[in-house]
Amino acid sequence: SVEAGKAHDACELVRAYSGPRPPVLVDQGAADEYLRTELMPAQLQRACAEAGYPLKLRTHAGYDHSFLFVASFIAEHLEHHAAQLAS
């Protein structure tokens, strides 16, 4: 059901969350086939802005939903998470 899905929806989780707010890093391939139908990063961006949750959303031309995309940016995400855990 749609209601049950809210427990896993990033936008709904951001709106409901009241704990610490470490910055979120999201990388998105501009050529991702799921960009406009399922991922919809603009909705996450709007939810974060409304909730005052820091979000760094980066869109990358020429990348889709492939392993190459993940492999290209995983090191930056690991560094981001390590920095958050250390602070």
Side-chain angles (χ1 to χ4, degrees):
S1 76
V2 172
E3 196 60 36
K6 288 183 178 181
H8 307 283
D9 182 298
C11 296
E12 295 295 331
L13 292 169
V14 163
R15 289 182 186 108
Y17 185 68
S18 61
R21 296 179 184 269
V24 174
L25 174 60
V26 175
D27 281 294
Q28 179 64 59
D32 192 318
E33 64 186 281
Y34 304 107
L35 185 63
R36 289 171 184 77
T37 58
E38 295 179 39
L39 298 171
M40 300 177 276
Q43 288 187 11
L44 178 61
Q45 192 171 32
R46 188 169 32 259
C48 286
E50 290 169 358
Y53 205 108
L55 169 68
K56 185 172 189 177
L57 175 62
R58 305 185 304 186
T59 303
H60 303 277
Y63 285 94
D64 56 13
H65 205 83
S66 68
F67 177 77
L68 174 62
F69 173 76
V70 174
S72 297
F73 301 101
I74 191 68
E76 292 176 63
H77 281 262
L78 293 174
E79 291 170 6
H80 172 80
H81 290 294
Q84 298 310 309
L85 289 170
S87 63

